[in-house]
Amino acid sequence: MSPRPLIVDCDPGQDDAVALLLAFAAREEFDILGITAVAGNVPLALTESNARRIRDLVGRPEVPVYAGCPRPMVRKPVTAERIHGATGLDGAGLPEPVHPVGQAHAVDFLVETLLAAPEPVTLATLGPLTNVALAIVKNPAILANLREVVTMGGAAGAGNVTASAEFNIFADPHAAHVVFEAGAPLIMIGLDVTHQAIATPPRLEAIRALGTAPAAAVCGMLDVYSAKTMAAYCHGAPLHDPCVIAYLLQPDLFAGREMRVDIDIGSGPCFGRTVCDWRGRSGKPANARVLESINADGFFALLTDHLARLPAGSA
Ligand code: RIB
Ligand code: CA
């Protein structure tokens, strides 16, 4: 199998960083065309430099990183330093990035790359959907060359920022509305799945035992992230974003259903909710495959195996 062309849109963020490492480790499976950063967990200046820190950690300067939108389309910006720390990568212990950010705006990179790609491109989204939505608005022709969009976001059940909304959607619901209405093949990986992918101490120790620089960075981040998520809302560190890359590598770890998903962009307590109509009550055609379960042990085995493939560096 030739490697699939892949673009990763992200807001690093510790779990984004682990997802990027997983993608970088899968050299036979992915041809990473580029990484696009968006404002989300922390402001854009940090998300883009954090993406470059991870790129430096694995020695892949040939993969371009582009800075995208510094704020959501309509609503006022929200961030998540309470979870990811002021740097967005607290615990990673990584130096300032060495290799520069790409000169193009991420939205322009997305449009030009998707229009020019000789074969359909997979888009993995790990943060708010602002860059992706604006690329679709700027040139809808890109939709014809999207193999699929696999997005970490939303929840059929409760949110993690409000009772109704998950952070990536809540941070830019209008962008999510554009993407969910666009008609691209869409796989939604929400909290219902990612809260099953908990980095428990035994799972973390298996990664730490690799004894490499990437493993040390992962465990340093997840040690901090675990403490904050458990204090905030969860019984451990849910590895939200790595689930997106794991789905692309081993989809049989997951199960889900096609259904209609609407984004609540009205005012009130459900603002930013992904309304997952799994009973088909709306009568509207399905616009997403919503994943509902994961084989968590298989996921962590995949993650640990791939992290072991990365350059050891100096731990
Ligand atoms: O709700 C979890 C999502 O929001 C993850 O992508 C995390 O990195 C934050 O962006
Ligand atoms: Ca993220």
Side-chain angles (χ1 to χ4, degrees):
M1 290 273 281
S2 58
R4 79 156 75 194
L6 174 69
I7 295 172
V8 183
D9 188 77
C10 57
D11 65 330
Q14 288 120 336
D15 59 323
D16 302 69
V18 179
L20 288 174
L21 290 172
L22 179 55
F24 276 125
R27 298 198 72 151
E28 291 177 9
E29 296 90 339
F30 297 133
D31 172 15
I32 305 177
L33 303 181
I35 296 168
T36 52
V38 67
N41 285 317
V42 288
L44 178 66
L46 285 172
T47 59
E48 72 85 2
S49 64
N50 288 339
R52 291 189 288 129
R53 282 176 170 81
I54 294 300
R55 179 180 65 174
D56 286 352
L57 175 62
V58 295
R60 297 287 295 279
E62 81 282 2
V63 177
V65 173
Y66 297 97
C69 297
R71 54 144 299 151
M73 291 175 70
V74 176
R75 62 153 302 149
K76 69 178 176 51
V78 289
T79 54
E81 287 91 347
R82 69 188 179 93
I83 299 293
H84 297 273
T87 68
L89 282 192
D90 280 17
L94 297 177
E96 285 296 313
V98 170
H99 298 283
V101 68
Q103 289 308 300
H105 190 287
V107 172
D108 296 329
F109 164 77
L110 285 166
V111 170
E112 289 155 23
T113 303
L114 290 171
L115 289 178
E119 67 177 278
V121 175
T122 296
L123 179 56
T125 80
L126 314 179
L129 289 165
T130 319
N131 288 343
V132 178
L134 290 186
I136 293 169
V137 169
K138 181 172 183 179
N139 195 332
I142 65 173
L143 293 167
N145 214 17
L146 273 174
R147 176 171 167 176
E148 57 188 345
V149 179
V150 186
T151 187
M152 192 281 136
N160 60 358
V161 181
T162 71
S164 304
E166 175 279 329
F167 178 81
N168 285 339
I169 308 298
F170 184 72
D172 198 340
H174 303 89
H177 173 75
V178 168
V179 174
F180 277 70
E181 294 298 322
L186 183 61
I187 291 91
M188 176 183 131
I189 304 182
L191 298 178
D192 317 283
V193 171
T194 64
H195 280 175
Q196 300 173 44
I198 301 297
T200 59
R203 288 165 173 166
L204 269 181
E205 290 320 306
I207 294 171
R208 207 183 308 270
L210 295 176
T212 63
V218 167
C219 291
M221 286 188 287
L222 294 187
D223 287 341
V224 170
Y225 179 63
S226 300
K228 298 223 173 161
T229 46
M230 283 192 273
Y233 76 106
C234 198
H235 57 290
L239 292 199
H240 306 289
D241 295 335
C243 287
V244 171
I245 307 302
Y247 173 80
L248 291 171
L249 290 170
Q250 200 174 331
D252 63 4
L253 290 173
F254 301 83
R257 287 177 284 184
E258 300 289 332
M259 65 182 77
R260 176 72 196 180
V261 180
D262 286 298
I263 311 297
D264 190 320
I265 51 176
S267 59
C270 290
F271 180 64
R273 181 186 174 202
T274 48
V275 182
C276 298
D277 181 16
W278 57 273
R279 288 193 178 92
R281 290 287 193 272
S282 66
K284 295 179 182 176
N287 58 341
R289 174 169 166 69
V290 176
L291 301 189
E292 298 169 288
S293 66
I294 182 175
N295 170 345
D297 287 336
F299 165 70
F300 279 95
L302 175 78
L303 175 61
T304 307
D305 168 70
H306 276 71
L307 291 175
R309 301 180 189 180
L310 291 168
S314 51

Short mmCIF file of all heavy atoms in Angstrom, two decimals, residues 107-149:
data_model
loop_
_atom_site.label_atom_id
_atom_site.label_comp_id
_atom_site.label_asym_id
_atom_site.label_seq_id
_atom_site.Cartn_x
_atom_site.Cartn_y
_atom_site.Cartn_z
N VAL A 107 -4.82 28.40 5.76
CA VAL A 107 -6.01 28.26 4.91
C VAL A 107 -5.61 28.21 3.44
O VAL A 107 -6.10 27.38 2.66
CB VAL A 107 -7.02 29.40 5.18
CG1 VAL A 107 -8.17 29.37 4.18
CG2 VAL A 107 -7.55 29.31 6.61
N ASP A 108 -4.65 29.04 3.06
CA ASP A 108 -4.18 29.01 1.67
C ASP A 108 -3.45 27.70 1.36
O ASP A 108 -3.62 27.12 0.28
CB ASP A 108 -3.24 30.20 1.40
CG ASP A 108 -3.97 31.53 1.54
OD1 ASP A 108 -5.19 31.56 1.24
OD2 ASP A 108 -3.34 32.52 1.97
N PHE A 109 -2.68 27.21 2.33
CA PHE A 109 -2.00 25.92 2.13
C PHE A 109 -3.04 24.82 1.92
O PHE A 109 -2.92 23.98 1.02
CB PHE A 109 -1.11 25.57 3.32
CG PHE A 109 -0.70 24.13 3.37
CD1 PHE A 109 0.30 23.64 2.52
CD2 PHE A 109 -1.33 23.23 4.22
CE1 PHE A 109 0.68 22.30 2.53
CE2 PHE A 109 -0.98 21.89 4.24
CZ PHE A 109 0.03 21.42 3.39
N LEU A 110 -4.08 24.82 2.75
CA LEU A 110 -5.12 23.80 2.61
C LEU A 110 -5.77 23.86 1.22
O LEU A 110 -5.90 22.84 0.53
CB LEU A 110 -6.19 23.98 3.70
CG LEU A 110 -5.81 23.53 5.11
CD1 LEU A 110 -6.79 24.08 6.15
CD2 LEU A 110 -5.73 22.01 5.20
N VAL A 111 -6.16 25.07 0.80
CA VAL A 111 -6.83 25.20 -0.50
C VAL A 111 -5.91 24.78 -1.63
O VAL A 111 -6.25 23.92 -2.46
CB VAL A 111 -7.31 26.66 -0.70
CG1 VAL A 111 -7.78 26.87 -2.14
CG2 VAL A 111 -8.43 26.99 0.29
N GLU A 112 -4.70 25.34 -1.66
CA GLU A 112 -3.80 25.07 -2.79
C GLU A 112 -3.37 23.60 -2.82
O GLU A 112 -3.30 22.97 -3.87
CB GLU A 112 -2.59 26.01 -2.71
CG GLU A 112 -2.96 27.46 -3.04
CD GLU A 112 -2.02 28.49 -2.41
OE1 GLU A 112 -0.87 28.11 -2.12
OE2 GLU A 112 -2.47 29.64 -2.19
N THR A 113 -3.12 23.02 -1.65
CA THR A 113 -2.67 21.62 -1.61
C THR A 113 -3.79 20.68 -2.02
O THR A 113 -3.60 19.74 -2.80
CB THR A 113 -2.16 21.28 -0.21
OG1 THR A 113 -1.12 22.19 0.14
CG2 THR A 113 -1.65 19.85 -0.12
N LEU A 114 -4.99 20.94 -1.54
CA LEU A 114 -6.12 20.05 -1.86
C LEU A 114 -6.51 20.18 -3.33
O LEU A 114 -6.89 19.19 -3.97
CB LEU A 114 -7.30 20.35 -0.94
CG LEU A 114 -7.09 19.92 0.51
CD1 LEU A 114 -8.20 20.45 1.40
CD2 LEU A 114 -7.01 18.40 0.61
N LEU A 115 -6.39 21.36 -3.90
CA LEU A 115 -6.71 21.52 -5.32
C LEU A 115 -5.67 20.83 -6.20
O LEU A 115 -6.00 20.25 -7.24
CB LEU A 115 -6.80 23.00 -5.69
CG LEU A 115 -8.00 23.79 -5.16
CD1 LEU A 115 -7.89 25.26 -5.61
CD2 LEU A 115 -9.32 23.18 -5.62
N ALA A 116 -4.42 20.83 -5.75
CA ALA A 116 -3.33 20.33 -6.61
C ALA A 116 -3.02 18.85 -6.38
O ALA A 116 -2.36 18.22 -7.20
CB ALA A 116 -2.07 21.16 -6.35
N ALA A 117 -3.50 18.28 -5.31
CA ALA A 117 -3.09 16.91 -4.95
C ALA A 117 -3.48 15.92 -6.05
O ALA A 117 -4.62 15.92 -6.52
CB ALA A 117 -3.73 16.50 -3.62
N PRO A 118 -2.55 15.06 -6.44
CA PRO A 118 -2.84 14.09 -7.50
C PRO A 118 -3.81 12.99 -7.07
O PRO A 118 -4.38 12.31 -7.90
CB PRO A 118 -1.45 13.52 -7.82
CG PRO A 118 -0.64 13.76 -6.61
CD PRO A 118 -1.16 15.01 -5.99
N GLU A 119 -3.97 12.80 -5.76
CA GLU A 119 -4.96 11.82 -5.28
C GLU A 119 -5.65 12.41 -4.05
O GLU A 119 -5.11 13.33 -3.40
CB GLU A 119 -4.26 10.51 -4.92
CG GLU A 119 -3.31 10.60 -3.72
CD GLU A 119 -2.71 9.24 -3.36
OE1 GLU A 119 -3.39 8.46 -2.66
OE2 GLU A 119 -1.56 8.99 -3.78
N PRO A 120 -6.85 11.93 -3.73
CA PRO A 120 -7.60 12.50 -2.60
C PRO A 120 -6.80 12.46 -1.30
O PRO A 120 -6.06 11.50 -1.03
CB PRO A 120 -8.84 11.62 -2.53
CG PRO A 120 -9.04 11.14 -3.93
CD PRO A 120 -7.64 10.93 -4.47
N VAL A 121 -6.94 13.54 -0.52
CA VAL A 121 -6.15 13.75 0.69
C VAL A 121 -7.03 13.51 1.92
O VAL A 121 -8.20 13.89 1.94
CB VAL A 121 -5.60 15.19 0.71
CG1 VAL A 121 -4.87 15.49 2.02
CG2 VAL A 121 -4.67 15.43 -0.49
N THR A 122 -6.44 12.88 2.92
CA THR A 122 -7.14 12.70 4.20
C THR A 122 -6.82 13.89 5.10
O THR A 122 -5.67 14.33 5.17
CB THR A 122 -6.68 11.41 4.89
OG1 THR A 122 -7.06 10.29 4.08
CG2 THR A 122 -7.32 11.26 6.27
N LEU A 123 -7.84 14.42 5.76
CA LEU A 123 -7.65 15.55 6.68
C LEU A 123 -8.01 15.10 8.08
O LEU A 123 -9.14 14.67 8.34
CB LEU A 123 -8.54 16.73 6.24
CG LEU A 123 -8.51 18.00 7.08
CD1 LEU A 123 -7.11 18.56 7.21
CD2 LEU A 123 -9.46 19.04 6.47
N ALA A 124 -7.03 15.16 8.98
CA ALA A 124 -7.24 14.84 10.39
C ALA A 124 -7.33 16.15 11.15
O ALA A 124 -6.40 16.97 11.06
CB ALA A 124 -6.10 13.99 10.93
N THR A 125 -8.43 16.39 11.85
CA THR A 125 -8.56 17.66 12.59
C THR A 125 -8.59 17.36 14.09
O THR A 125 -9.36 16.52 14.55
CB THR A 125 -9.82 18.45 12.18
OG1 THR A 125 -10.97 17.92 12.82
CG2 THR A 125 -10.00 18.43 10.67
N LEU A 126 -7.76 18.10 14.80
CA LEU A 126 -7.56 17.86 16.23
C LEU A 126 -7.94 19.07 17.09
O LEU A 126 -7.78 19.03 18.31
CB LEU A 126 -6.11 17.49 16.51
CG LEU A 126 -5.45 16.46 15.58
CD1 LEU A 126 -4.00 16.23 15.98
CD2 LEU A 126 -6.23 15.16 15.56
N GLY A 127 -8.40 20.12 16.48
CA GLY A 127 -8.73 21.34 17.22
C GLY A 127 -9.99 21.97 16.66
O GLY A 127 -10.75 21.33 15.92
N PRO A 128 -10.25 23.23 17.03
CA PRO A 128 -11.39 23.94 16.44
C PRO A 128 -11.27 23.95 14.92
O PRO A 128 -10.19 23.95 14.37
CB PRO A 128 -11.25 25.34 17.02
CG PRO A 128 -10.50 25.15 18.31
CD PRO A 128 -9.54 24.03 18.05
N LEU A 129 -12.41 23.99 14.23
CA LEU A 129 -12.45 23.76 12.77
C LEU A 129 -12.34 25.05 11.96
O LEU A 129 -12.71 25.05 10.77
CB LEU A 129 -13.72 23.00 12.43
CG LEU A 129 -13.71 21.53 12.91
CD1 LEU A 129 -15.11 20.93 12.88
CD2 LEU A 129 -12.75 20.70 12.07
N THR A 130 -11.82 26.10 12.55
CA THR A 130 -11.77 27.40 11.88
C THR A 130 -11.01 27.35 10.55
O THR A 130 -11.52 27.80 9.52
CB THR A 130 -11.12 28.44 12.80
OG1 THR A 130 -11.59 28.26 14.14
CG2 THR A 130 -11.42 29.86 12.32
N ASN A 131 -9.80 26.79 10.55
CA ASN A 131 -9.01 26.72 9.31
C ASN A 131 -9.76 25.94 8.23
O ASN A 131 -9.83 26.36 7.07
CB ASN A 131 -7.67 26.03 9.56
CG ASN A 131 -6.69 26.85 10.36
OD1 ASN A 131 -6.83 28.07 10.51
ND2 ASN A 131 -5.69 26.17 10.93
N VAL A 132 -10.31 24.83 8.61
CA VAL A 132 -10.97 23.94 7.63
C VAL A 132 -12.22 24.61 7.06
O VAL A 132 -12.46 24.61 5.85
CB VAL A 132 -11.31 22.59 8.29
CG1 VAL A 132 -12.04 21.67 7.31
CG2 VAL A 132 -10.03 21.91 8.80
N ALA A 133 -12.99 25.23 7.94
CA ALA A 133 -14.20 25.90 7.48
C ALA A 133 -13.87 27.03 6.52
O ALA A 133 -14.52 27.18 5.46
CB ALA A 133 -14.99 26.45 8.67
N LEU A 134 -12.86 27.82 6.83
CA LEU A 134 -12.53 28.95 5.95
C LEU A 134 -11.96 28.46 4.62
O LEU A 134 -12.17 29.08 3.58
CB LEU A 134 -11.58 29.92 6.65
CG LEU A 134 -12.23 30.70 7.80
CD1 LEU A 134 -11.27 31.73 8.35
CD2 LEU A 134 -13.53 31.35 7.38
N ALA A 135 -11.25 27.33 4.65
CA ALA A 135 -10.76 26.78 3.38
C ALA A 135 -11.94 26.35 2.50
O ALA A 135 -11.96 26.61 1.29
CB ALA A 135 -9.83 25.61 3.65
N ILE A 136 -12.94 25.74 3.10
CA ILE A 136 -14.14 25.32 2.36
C ILE A 136 -14.88 26.54 1.81
O ILE A 136 -15.32 26.56 0.65
CB ILE A 136 -15.06 24.48 3.26
CG1 ILE A 136 -14.41 23.14 3.61
CG2 ILE A 136 -16.43 24.26 2.60
CD1 ILE A 136 -15.12 22.35 4.70
N VAL A 137 -15.02 27.57 2.64
CA VAL A 137 -15.71 28.78 2.18
C VAL A 137 -14.92 29.46 1.04
O VAL A 137 -15.49 29.87 0.04
CB VAL A 137 -15.92 29.75 3.36
CG1 VAL A 137 -16.40 31.12 2.87
CG2 VAL A 137 -16.92 29.17 4.35
N LYS A 138 -13.60 29.50 1.22
CA LYS A 138 -12.76 30.18 0.22
C LYS A 138 -12.82 29.47 -1.13
O LYS A 138 -12.92 30.13 -2.17
CB LYS A 138 -11.31 30.25 0.71
CG LYS A 138 -10.41 30.97 -0.28
CD LYS A 138 -9.02 31.22 0.26
CE LYS A 138 -8.20 32.01 -0.76
NZ LYS A 138 -6.83 32.31 -0.29
N ASN A 139 -12.80 28.13 -1.12
CA ASN A 139 -12.87 27.40 -2.39
C ASN A 139 -13.49 26.02 -2.17
O ASN A 139 -12.79 25.05 -1.90
CB ASN A 139 -11.49 27.25 -3.02
CG ASN A 139 -11.61 26.83 -4.47
OD1 ASN A 139 -12.60 26.16 -4.84
ND2 ASN A 139 -10.64 27.19 -5.30
N PRO A 140 -14.81 25.92 -2.31
CA PRO A 140 -15.51 24.65 -2.08
C PRO A 140 -15.04 23.51 -2.98
O PRO A 140 -15.28 22.34 -2.70
CB PRO A 140 -16.98 25.00 -2.38
CG PRO A 140 -17.06 26.49 -2.29
CD PRO A 140 -15.73 27.02 -2.67
N ALA A 141 -14.31 23.85 -4.04
CA ALA A 141 -13.82 22.79 -4.94
C ALA A 141 -12.88 21.83 -4.21
O ALA A 141 -12.66 20.70 -4.66
CB ALA A 141 -13.12 23.41 -6.15
N ILE A 142 -12.34 22.25 -3.07
CA ILE A 142 -11.43 21.35 -2.35
C ILE A 142 -12.15 20.10 -1.87
O ILE A 142 -11.54 19.05 -1.66
CB ILE A 142 -10.75 22.05 -1.15
CG1 ILE A 142 -11.78 22.46 -0.08
CG2 ILE A 142 -9.93 23.25 -1.61
CD1 ILE A 142 -11.14 23.01 1.20
N LEU A 143 -13.46 20.19 -1.71
CA LEU A 143 -14.22 19.05 -1.19
C LEU A 143 -14.09 17.84 -2.10
O LEU A 143 -14.11 16.70 -1.64
CB LEU A 143 -15.70 19.43 -1.02
CG LEU A 143 -16.00 20.48 0.05
CD1 LEU A 143 -17.43 20.99 -0.08
CD2 LEU A 143 -15.75 19.91 1.45
N ALA A 144 -13.92 18.08 -3.39
CA ALA A 144 -13.84 16.97 -4.36
C ALA A 144 -12.56 16.17 -4.18
O ALA A 144 -12.48 15.03 -4.65
CB ALA A 144 -13.92 17.51 -5.77
N ASN A 145 -11.56 16.75 -3.52
CA ASN A 145 -10.28 16.04 -3.37
C ASN A 145 -9.96 15.68 -1.93
O ASN A 145 -8.80 15.51 -1.55
CB ASN A 145 -9.13 16.89 -3.96
CG ASN A 145 -8.06 15.99 -4.59
OD1 ASN A 145 -8.33 14.80 -4.87
ND2 ASN A 145 -6.88 16.51 -4.79
N LEU A 146 -11.04 15.65 -1.11
CA LEU A 146 -10.90 15.19 0.28
C LEU A 146 -11.33 13.73 0.35
O LEU A 146 -12.48 13.39 0.07
CB LEU A 146 -11.78 16.03 1.21
CG LEU A 146 -11.18 17.32 1.77
CD1 LEU A 146 -12.24 18.10 2.54
CD2 LEU A 146 -9.99 16.99 2.67
N ARG A 147 -10.38 12.84 0.68
CA ARG A 147 -10.75 11.42 0.83
C ARG A 147 -11.71 11.26 2.01
O ARG A 147 -12.76 10.61 1.90
CB ARG A 147 -9.48 10.60 1.05
CG ARG A 147 -9.72 9.14 1.32
CD ARG A 147 -8.42 8.37 1.32
NE ARG A 147 -8.60 7.02 1.87
CZ ARG A 147 -7.63 6.12 1.92
NH1 ARG A 147 -6.41 6.39 1.45
NH2 ARG A 147 -7.85 4.91 2.45
N GLU A 148 -11.34 11.86 3.13
CA GLU A 148 -12.22 11.88 4.30
C GLU A 148 -11.67 12.90 5.30
O GLU A 148 -10.47 13.24 5.27
CB GLU A 148 -12.32 10.50 4.97
CG GLU A 148 -11.00 9.89 5.41
CD GLU A 148 -11.13 8.44 5.89
OE1 GLU A 148 -12.27 7.99 6.15
OE2 GLU A 148 -10.09 7.76 5.97
N VAL A 149 -12.58 13.39 6.13
CA VAL A 149 -12.19 14.26 7.24
C VAL A 149 -12.46 13.49 8.53
O VAL A 149 -13.60 13.04 8.76
CB VAL A 149 -13.01 15.57 7.24
CG1 VAL A 149 -12.61 16.46 8.41
CG2 VAL A 149 -12.82 16.32 5.91
#
